[in-house]
Amino acid sequence: MALRSPAYRDHFAAVLQKLKDEGRYRIFAVLERQVGRFPHARIQTPLGPKDVTLWSSNDYLGLSQHPRILQAMRETLEAWGAGAGGTRNISGTLALHTRLESELAAWHGKESALLFTSGYTANEGALSSLVKLLPGCAVFSDQQNHASMIAGITRNHCAKYIFAHNDLEDLERKLASVPADSFKIVACESVYSMDGTIAPLRAIGELAKRYGALTYLDEVHGIGLYGPTGAGVAQREGCADLFDLIVANFGKSFGLMGGYVVGETETVDAIRSHASSFIFTTALPPVLAAGALEGVRVLQESGALRIRLHRQASRLRAALLKAGLPVLPSGSHIVPLLIGGARCCKGVADALLERANIYVQPINFPTVAVGEERLRLTPTPFHTDAMIDDLVEALDTLWQEHQLPRRRFA
């Protein structure tokens, strides 16, 4: 039996108690997802299992249960086995990996692609490699960029400039403040997952190129959901050529796991040769690579699903506004409902689960700033109009009972 260390134990207990006192301690819901029932699932509660409607899933198109993807994964499991057998550098590079990389590059209209085990490791690995390989590099990062991008930027020392969210004037001021001949990277996202805002990609890309910057775009929350073939917001806006590197993952619209970066061959190869999060990580299992490979093909044919997703997001947003509920303005498929206060946010989520069988996870600090706590609602093509009405009615009732502020945003 291991010796106990009271000083360390007591310290960590105090850290956890502080989170609980602030209402920020996270309790994971134990879900049982059932094929054919999405967006319904079963959740384990102290009183036993309970059927719920999911309203905070990143499985935006329900592809985690798509028949073609499931079939491709079943066949691959039987034919290829469970694991890749090692890192890509040792024995883990499979034909499925290279096929998937070729299709991803073609989908985005780029020369090359590189797989990672998640979107986080893709961002961290790609950005940290770029910073390391570009002497005296200055990075210009949107204020709301994801933690994985921040981790990549800050891993190696560089000059870092944070520009106000989607603010082109601030970005230009900062770009103009560094020597014209220096290496520069402008990094942004297409869809920001907590506010649901969409970046002015064409304007950012054109501005960055005027200042000679390498452009880096995270399409994690846009891939599969925008553009004629689902290749993201940059495809929809016709400006993918303005971005040297595009990163996305398989954990959202694909309904799977994994990440990737696409770009020019030399740039992607430099990342492959230097990114620790690629070099020292076991390769994606063949079953996931096969699912993603079929997912690329499914997504290119999923125009009807995309149309319904955006219809339902618009319907939900309109219903929340009509009820006077504090929905943040958003031009995307993400519908954030601002609450403010960690305890209140968790209380609303708990009440929805207990009284209406609606599951939505409260979003608290550090994911959002203190005072900006919210419910992040993510309708899918499979949420019916009746489900939307039930959700809005349940929220409206809670707002009335507890006299929560009803706030409208410009």
Side-chain angles (χ1 to χ4, degrees):
M1 181 176 178
L3 293 175
R4 295 176 66 82
S5 302
Y8 293 97
R9 179 197 62 203
D10 293 347
H11 175 77
F12 292 129
V15 169
L16 294 172
Q17 188 60 51
K18 184 174 185 291
L19 290 177
K20 293 174 183 178
D21 292 342
E22 295 172 352
R24 296 194 294 115
Y25 181 73
R26 302 184 184 204
I27 299 173
F28 295 152
V30 180
L31 295 169
E32 296 177 7
R33 291 163 60 89
Q34 300 161 312
V35 174
R37 298 195 65 229
F38 185 79
H40 297 294
R42 181 169 293 173
I43 190 170
Q44 297 295 330
T45 75
L47 300 178
K50 183 175 192 174
D51 288 331
V52 298
T53 303
L54 301 176
W55 275 102
S56 60
S57 173
N58 283 338
D59 189 5
Y60 294 135
L61 296 176
L63 293 198
S64 66
Q65 302 184 12
H66 194 283
R68 280 170 51 187
I69 293 174
L70 295 181
Q71 184 61 28
M73 295 176 78
R74 288 190 198 99
E75 292 175 357
T76 302
L77 182 63
E78 293 299 325
W80 294 69
T87 67
R88 291 284 296 272
N89 290 313
I90 297 176
S91 61
T93 295
L94 308 178
L96 280 169
H97 295 140
T98 57
R99 287 179 210 159
L100 176 56
E101 287 169 341
S102 293
E103 293 218 14
L104 289 168
W107 191 28
H108 286 279
K110 301 296 185 184
E111 294 177 352
S112 295
L114 184 67
L115 295 175
F116 285 80
T117 51
S118 70
Y120 190 104
T121 58
N123 270 329
E124 192 278 334
L127 280 165
S128 65
S129 298
L130 294 171
V131 169
K132 179 170 61 177
L133 294 172
L134 296 172
C137 179
V139 181
F140 302 82
S141 176
D142 188 284
Q143 186 178 28
Q144 292 192 18
N145 276 347
H146 190 265
S148 59
M149 299 174 74
I150 296 169
I153 293 166
T154 58
R155 181 175 172 184
N156 296 299
H157 178 73
C158 70
K160 182 177 67 174
Y161 299 84
I162 309 300
F163 63 92
H165 180 51
N166 284 345
D167 190 327
L168 293 168
E169 291 183 0
D170 192 37
L171 173 58
E172 182 160 22
R173 279 194 297 271
K174 289 177 167 59
L175 283 167
S177 70
V178 304
D181 59 352
S182 63
F183 286 120
K184 296 176 281 289
I185 301 172
V186 172
C188 67
E189 300 182 39
S190 60
V191 179
Y192 289 85
S193 64
M194 290 301 118
D195 285 353
T197 51
I198 295 180
L201 293 185
R202 178 173 290 280
I204 288 174
E206 290 175 347
L207 176 61
K209 290 305 175 188
R210 284 205 303 274
Y211 283 86
L214 183 146
T215 44
Y216 185 101
L217 175 62
D218 179 317
E219 279 269 28
V220 163
H221 291 276
I223 196 68
L225 310 178
Y226 300 87
T229 67
V233 178
Q235 185 193 54
R236 184 188 72 174
E237 302 300 318
C239 62
D241 59 317
L242 291 173
F243 289 89
D244 299 296
L245 290 166
I246 297 177
V247 172
N249 76 351
F250 306 130
K252 308 299 187 293
S253 62
F254 282 80
L256 296 166
M257 178 184 175
Y260 64 91
V261 57
V262 296
E264 291 182 345
T265 297
E266 293 80 5
T267 310
V268 172
D269 199 17
I271 293 169
R272 180 189 69 86
S273 301
H274 290 85
S276 295
S277 62
F278 172 83
I279 295 169
F280 300 106
T281 301
T282 300
L284 278 180
V287 66
L288 282 176
L293 185 59
E294 188 62 29
V296 175
R297 298 160 184 170
V298 169
L299 284 170
Q300 293 183 72
E301 304 164 8
S302 295
L305 278 180
R306 284 189 281 277
I307 290 170
R308 178 155 177 88
L309 166 71
H310 294 295
R311 175 193 178 277
Q312 296 308 85
S314 296
R315 191 181 190 284
L316 173 60
R317 189 176 296 108
L320 291 168
L321 288 170
K322 184 177 180 181
L325 296 169
V327 60
L328 291 170
S330 161
S332 73
H333 59 286
I334 296 167
V335 184
L337 189 67
L338 186 66
I339 295 178
R343 288 185 178 279
C344 184
C345 191
K346 185 177 186 307
V348 170
D350 289 346
L352 287 172
L353 180 61
E354 180 181 347
R355 295 166 52 174
N357 296 336
I358 289 171
Y359 173 74
V360 57
Q361 185 71 5
I363 306 296
N364 298 326
F365 179 83
T367 308
V368 295
V370 173
E372 298 291 316
E373 293 83 2
R374 67 197 60 188
L375 300 182
R376 177 181 175 273
L377 304 172
T378 54
T380 73
F382 302 99
H383 283 90
T384 65
D385 292 354
M387 291 177 191
I388 291 175
D389 293 341
D390 289 344
L391 171 63
V392 175
E393 181 181 354
L395 287 166
D396 189 46
T397 298
L398 288 172
W399 252 253
Q400 290 181 42
E401 289 179 357
H402 298 281
Q403 298 183 329
L404 298 175
R406 294 178 184 264
R407 179 180 174 189
R408 292 184 179 275
F409 298 89

